């Protein structure tokens, strides 16, 4: 019997998944989720592409590769078991030149090492069999890559938590966690404390993860630097020009992937995202300016080191920020029939990018244990895909429950 009391900070898909896993593994435990918003899944969990990544790109043996593969299986199983929409539409990673073909072959080898199911390389003619309107010299086909609504999944997990006697406290912004003599106190923004102490805590604070970790006694880095990614929905008359997902081959000169085609679970087709610095960690509208957030990255030496090394990438992305036409043209390199398609703004996501003081971007998941407090310090894409596996990993491998 485990009658311990667990605090989970953050009601996004990762926090909810950890709470659910605790209740599955320890039905007698008391689990309380704290979420600062009025409902769950109001940040990154509902502002993303909805792709269930298969594990193509990630370094074999790393946490990303391991937890993405396990997570993709668990997401599929969860959706099918709970009648949540799940579309295995497949994905092409398309090379447009001989140089890109070499990089594509390296991705293919990684996908084999990661045991991604049913992947294969295609020539130009075979690309047309999968995506008739797509051009390219070669492509990597991942037929098991799928799309979902992670917001829907998160909200369903929240219902399950309540059914299993877990508690979700919304409207409670946690400012700090302190531990003394094996007991953890949860402190709120208004200098109040929760009226009970906890045996364990897991911080899944997303865009605020570094701040909460630092205030709770963890190390300062990696630091979160926010980048926004804008998506556009194409004119619905043209949505059938693309059947699934069409991605570019990543260019090592650029830190982010680049514009691509992504089918949505509602059947619409989107292009995006670009990647540019956000003037607020939670600036989903793009119309706000958070002075504290901007000051935070402008005074971080890691940001300036990153910027000095990535000016060409910034200029490329700025073109897509400034002009919808340039945005569409980037995507139309792969589907020329959509070069003049009209688009409308859709989801705008904020990537909680962890950055070291030397300007390097943290590639793998970062999960740190400090006493009886566990911090998810970095869980970018494929963080949502991996959420149920991240929960298993934290509950069964990182935490000690004795």
């Amino acid at each position: 019997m485990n009658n311990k009391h667990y605090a989970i900070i953050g009601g996004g898909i990762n926090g909810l998944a950890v709470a659910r896993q605790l209740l599955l593994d320890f039905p007698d435990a008391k689990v309380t989720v704290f979420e600062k918003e009025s409902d769950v899944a109001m940040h990154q969990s509902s502002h993303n592409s909805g792709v269930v990544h298969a594990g193509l790109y990630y370094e074999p043996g790393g946490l990303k590769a391991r937890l993405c593969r396990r997570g993709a299986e668990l997401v599929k199983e969860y959706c099918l078991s709970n009648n949540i929409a799940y579309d295995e539409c497949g994905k092409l990673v398309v090379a447009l030149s001989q140089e890109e073909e070499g990089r594509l072959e390296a991705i293919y080898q990684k996908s084999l090492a990661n045991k991604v199911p049913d992947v294969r390389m295609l020539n130009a003619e075979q690309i047309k069999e999968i995506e008739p309107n797509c051009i390219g010299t070669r492509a990597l086909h991942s037929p098991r890559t799928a799309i979902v609504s992670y917001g829907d999944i998160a909200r369903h997990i929240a219902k399950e938590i309540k059914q299993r006697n877990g508690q979700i406290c919304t409207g409670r912004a946690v400012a700090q966690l302190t531990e003394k003599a094996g007991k953890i106190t949860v402190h709120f923004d208004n200098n109040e404390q929760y009226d009970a102490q906890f045996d364990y805590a897991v911080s899944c604070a997303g865009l605020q993860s570094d701040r909460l970790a630092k205030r709770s006694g963890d190390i300062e880095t990696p630091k979160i630097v926010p980048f926004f990614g804008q998506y556009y929905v194409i004119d619905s008359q043209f949505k059938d020009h693309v059947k699934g997902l069409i991605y570019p081959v990543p260019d090592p000169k650029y830190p982010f992937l680049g514009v691509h085609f992504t089918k949505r679970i509602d059947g619409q087709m989107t292009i995006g995202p670009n990647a540019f610095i956000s003037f607020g960690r939670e600036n989903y509208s793009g119309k706000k300016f958070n002075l504290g957030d901007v000051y935070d990255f402008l005074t971080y030496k890691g940001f300036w080191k990153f910027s000095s090394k990535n000016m060409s990438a910034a200029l490329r992305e700025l073109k897509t920020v400034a002009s919808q036409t340039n945005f569409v043209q980037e995507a139309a390199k792969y589907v020329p029939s959509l070069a003049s398609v009209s688009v409308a703004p859709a989801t705008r996501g904020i990537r909680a990018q962890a950055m070291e003081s030397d300007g390097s971007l943290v590639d793998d998941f970062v999960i740190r244990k400090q006493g009886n407090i566990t911090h998810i310090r970095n869980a970018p894409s494929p963080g949502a895909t991996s959420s149920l596996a991240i929960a298993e990993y934290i509950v069964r491998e990182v935490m000690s429950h004795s």
Side-chain angles (χ1 to χ4, degrees), residues 124-398:
E125 291 181 1
Q126 292 170 318
I127 290 173
K128 297 288 187 184
E129 295 173 9
I130 306 299
E131 290 283 2
N133 296 303
C134 180
I135 62 170
T137 58
R138 294 193 79 198
L140 172 58
H141 185 213
S142 171
R144 301 297 168 220
T145 297
I147 51 173
V148 296
S149 166
Y150 286 111
D152 286 350
I153 294 172
R155 286 184 284 272
H156 195 280
I157 293 174
K159 291 179 184 177
E160 184 182 350
I161 289 168
K162 293 175 182 176
Q163 290 167 354
R164 295 179 181 276
N165 297 318
Q167 185 178 10
I168 299 177
C169 298
T170 56
R172 303 308 301 266
V174 175
Q176 183 185 18
L177 300 169
T178 57
E179 182 175 357
K180 187 176 181 180
K183 292 294 182 180
I184 296 164
T185 301
V186 172
H187 305 261
F188 300 113
D189 266 351
N190 51 11
N191 293 322
E192 293 181 11
Q193 297 179 8
Y194 191 64
D195 58 8
Q197 290 187 309
F198 297 85
D199 299 292
Y200 302 93
V202 182
S203 172
C204 310
L207 287 155
Q208 308 295 339
S209 62
D210 59 332
R211 291 170 172 168
L212 180 55
K214 182 184 175 184
R215 288 195 298 260
S216 302
D218 198 25
I219 60 177
E220 186 171 350
T221 56
K223 195 174 185 66
I224 296 298
V225 176
F227 289 83
F228 76 80
Q230 179 68 56
Y231 286 87
Y232 289 88
V233 177
I234 72 171
D235 185 336
S236 60
Q237 296 179 66
F238 297 90
K239 66 182 182 181
D240 292 334
H241 280 233
V242 179
K243 298 183 180 300
L245 314 176
I246 299 176
Y247 277 52
V249 178
D251 187 335
K253 291 186 296 185
Y254 298 114
F256 301 114
L257 183 57
V259 173
H260 46 272
F261 288 95
T262 305
K263 183 182 179 182
R264 273 193 338 202
I265 197 65
D266 63 3
Q268 295 299 320
M269 181 59 61
T270 67
I271 57 174
N274 48 15
F276 203 73
I277 194 70
S278 176
F279 296 128
R281 294 197 183 193
E282 298 171 8
N283 182 18
Y284 299 109
S285 69
K287 299 175 182 178
K288 299 178 181 179
F289 185 96
N290 187 301
L291 186 60
D293 290 347
V294 174
Y295 178 83
D296 217 16
F297 67 73
L298 287 180
T299 56
Y300 183 46
K301 64 180 181 180
F303 171 72
W304 293 106
K305 290 182 178 180
F306 168 83
S307 300
S308 67
K309 293 182 286 188
N310 290 282
M311 286 305 297
S312 61
L315 291 173
R316 183 187 78 164
E317 296 298 322
L318 184 58
K319 290 178 182 178
T320 67
V321 173
S323 167
Q324 285 187 14
T325 301
N326 282 328
F327 198 105
V328 173
Q329 289 299 321
E330 282 292 314
K333 292 176 182 177
Y334 302 90
V335 185
S337 63
L338 295 176
S340 301
V341 71
S342 60
V343 297
T347 301
R348 182 185 178 99
I350 308 290
R351 181 186 179 97
Q353 179 60 61
M355 187 181 292
E356 295 289 3
S357 57
D358 64 0
S360 62
L361 303 184
V362 181
D363 184 54
D364 211 347
F365 297 148
V366 178
I367 299 170
R368 288 177 45 82
K369 186 171 179 289
Q370 168 205 1
N372 287 332
I373 302 172
T374 301
H375 297 278
I376 298 182
R377 294 290 302 252
N378 189 46
S381 178
T385 298
S386 308
S387 56
L388 296 175
I390 289 173
E392 281 187 342
Y393 172 71
I394 288 175
V395 172
R396 296 178 179 176
E397 297 184 45
V398 177

Side-chain angles (χ1 to χ4, degrees), residues 51-56 58 68-69 72 114-117 142 144-145 385:
V51 176
V52 183
H53 294 282
L56 303 177
Y58 315 122
C68 179
R69 284 296 317 125
N114 291 335
K115 299 182 179 178
V116 178
S142 171
R144 301 297 168 220
T145 297
T385 298

